[in-house]
Amino acid sequence: MGLAATITIIFSIIMLGYLFARLKILSDTTGDGLADFVFVVSTPLLLFRTMMTADFQSSNPWELWLVYFTGVVVAWTAAHCGIRFMFGRDRRAGVVAGVTGAFSNLVFLGMPLMLGVYGEAGLVIISLIISIHMPLMMAASLMLNEWALRKDGIISGETSRYDTAVKFITSLLRNPLVIGILAGWLVRLSGLSVPQLPMQLISMLADVSGPLALFAMGMGLKKFGISGNVIAAGVNASFKLMLMPAVVFAMAWLVGLPPLTAKVAITAAALPSGVNSYLIATRFGVGQGLSSTSMVLATAASAVTLAMWIALAQAVWG
């Protein structure tokens, strides 16, 4: 299947989800249930299977992580400074803008896209990013939010950092995606094999992850919607869709990543921000409208910008 056809199908499923929610054919509760199933059941099992069975010998994760997270740092910094100095928001809003400008939708959109465009090999490479992406992004968000709270005088320096660290580690270890990744690595390192019948069950549940994730994502876009801050959100979305993949593109070329790894890294960087950025904003109690609007605008625009970055990467790396 060609690139244009793959992207058309992927965004058609997202649009179907949006229309089913918009026309109230399916309720918001149904969308939440689908998203929960994808997040709690099918995607963790897909990550478990990938970590357990994939061939990682041809991939150098350190170079991949260096390239990708350089883009994260640059986009996060630009989005943070942009919302503060261009729009006069406080430090906590800067943290939300930063995470929205750098937190790619690797699971709901990224995994189906990689599988459709690059096949199983692309899924293996994005799984390497996912394996450390959420822990690092969540840790950075929490630490920077605490820094902003202290700088703005909202909390005192006496607040226990130990309690914050314990809560973070506890919530992380309860995350279904993290559990799926760790379980897959444990089985892999132990040398044990999963019996055929349970493996068939795992595969059946894992294989529905892609289309259900896209459909649930479309329903979620209707739920979150555009909540004001359109200009600021548009600037933030441009950092995510244009600046971050541009930095990753340059870094992939400078480091000399293998062709497929470079293309996957650039495509991952070009993904719009996902619902996690909105959930972080809600948890911090600031910037929910900015995050929601940026996510919707970026997702809509990414139907074009993703195709551009993928085509450009293929022109350079073949």
Side-chain angles (χ1 to χ4, degrees):
M1 186 184 300
L3 171 61
T6 300
I7 291 180
T8 299
I9 289 173
I10 284 173
F11 280 92
S12 294
I13 296 174
I14 295 173
M15 182 57 68
L16 280 173
Y18 177 82
L19 289 174
F20 270 64
R22 186 75 179 177
L23 299 174
K24 298 184 178 180
I25 299 172
L26 295 175
S27 66
D28 288 344
T29 304
T30 302
D32 292 340
L34 284 174
D36 285 343
F37 176 80
V38 170
F39 186 76
V40 176
V41 180
S42 62
T43 301
L45 288 175
L46 178 59
L47 289 168
F48 170 80
R49 186 182 66 183
T50 301
M51 295 298 165
M52 185 182 67
T53 61
D55 178 15
F56 293 113
Q57 293 182 357
S58 59
S59 303
N60 184 344
W62 296 105
E63 290 183 349
L64 171 64
W65 293 336
L66 171 65
V67 167
Y68 184 82
F69 285 99
T70 298
V72 167
V73 171
V74 172
W76 191 312
T77 303
H80 179 100
C81 294
I83 202 68
R84 289 207 62 207
F85 302 121
M86 293 173 64
F87 299 96
R89 301 290 296 274
D90 62 14
R91 290 182 178 88
R92 288 197 303 149
V95 174
V96 170
V99 72
T100 305
F103 203 139
S104 292
N105 190 349
L106 296 178
V107 173
F108 278 71
L109 179 55
M111 294 184 76
L113 180 67
M114 298 302 173
L115 190 59
V117 176
Y118 302 118
E120 290 287 344
L123 187 63
V124 170
I125 294 170
I126 197 176
S127 296
L128 288 172
I129 299 176
I130 292 171
S131 67
I132 66 167
H133 180 257
M134 182 172 289
L136 286 180
M137 298 297 280
M138 291 297 295
S141 302
L142 289 171
M143 288 188 295
L144 288 172
N145 185 60
E146 184 173 346
W147 164 80
L149 289 170
R150 294 178 191 279
K151 282 289 186 180
D152 291 340
I154 299 173
I155 62 172
S156 69
E158 298 175 356
T159 304
S160 174
R161 289 185 174 89
Y162 173 79
D163 290 342
T164 301
V166 169
K167 288 179 181 178
F168 166 70
I169 294 171
T170 302
S171 64
L172 191 63
L173 292 177
R174 290 175 178 171
N175 187 290
L177 302 180
V178 174
I179 292 171
I181 291 167
L182 292 177
W185 276 111
L186 285 173
V187 172
R188 183 188 189 96
L189 295 174
S190 71
L192 300 174
S193 60
V194 178
Q196 183 178 4
L197 187 59
M199 197 63 199
Q200 287 180 340
L201 176 61
I202 289 169
S203 293
M204 288 181 68
L205 291 170
D207 288 342
V208 302
S209 173
L212 284 183
L214 296 170
F215 194 89
M217 180 183 169
M219 294 191 71
L221 291 177
K222 181 267 175 185
K223 176 182 177 181
F224 297 118
I226 294 178
S227 308
N229 302 284
V230 174
I231 296 176
V235 172
N236 212 56
S238 70
F239 289 135
K240 181 69 200 70
L241 298 180
M242 301 304 293
L243 177 61
M244 186 170 166
V247 172
V248 172
F249 191 105
M251 284 295 298
W253 183 78
L254 288 171
V255 170
L257 285 183
L260 181 59
T261 304
K263 290 187 286 187
V264 169
I266 293 162
T267 305
L271 292 166
S273 55
V275 70
N276 277 317
S277 60
Y278 176 80
L279 296 178
I280 290 170
T282 301
R283 179 172 180 176
F284 293 166
V286 64
Q288 296 97 319
L290 172 68
S291 179
S292 173
T293 304
S294 179
M295 178 180 66
V296 173
L297 293 178
T299 302
S302 68
V304 175
T305 57
L306 267 171
M308 180 196 77
W309 284 110
I310 293 171
L312 187 58
Q314 288 182 339
V316 174
W317 279 277

